[in-house]
Amino acid sequence: QDYEGVICALTEDWFVITVPAGAHTFTLSTPDADLDLSVYRASDQELLGASQSVDPFERVSVELSSETELYLQVDGFFNANGAYILSWE
């Protein structure tokens, strides 16, 4: 799935999704901004993975043993803002 969004300075975007067991990759494409991606398990807010590079693509992969509700966080580094595409498989 793909989601197109825009993040403003001093804000975060959050998504709640439920994914089946197995391997999943989340990709954040940000050609014009330094945005970061974090993936948390919703039940206990455990950080499962994060990507905080200066590259235009942030990628987080997780392996889940059962169907799981996740929180995805898109955040601008040092109040960065801009358009992005968040995708997962």
Side-chain angles (χ1 to χ4, degrees):
Q1 285 195 327
D2 291 342
Y3 175 82
E4 294 184 31
V6 176
I7 194 165
C8 300
L10 303 173
T11 64
E12 304 170 346
D13 285 354
W14 288 87
F15 301 88
V16 179
I17 64 170
T18 300
V19 294
H24 300 277
T25 300
F26 304 90
T27 304
L28 182 66
S29 304
T30 61
D32 299 321
D34 183 6
L35 304 182
D36 299 324
L37 175 63
S38 299
V39 178
Y40 298 86
R41 184 175 28 242
S43 62
D44 60 3
Q45 292 83 45
E46 178 183 352
L47 178 64
L48 300 179
S51 181
Q52 300 172 331
S53 71
V54 295
D55 296 332
F57 296 97
E58 305 290 346
R59 185 168 287 120
V60 176
S61 295
V62 298
E63 180 77 34
L64 302 169
S65 60
S66 62
E67 180 179 271
T68 305
E69 185 175 70
L70 301 174
Y71 295 150
L72 309 179
Q73 177 194 30
V74 177
D75 190 18
F77 175 75
F78 201 62
N79 300 323
N81 60 75
Y84 64 86
I85 299 173
L86 176 61
S87 58
W88 58 89
E89 51 187 76

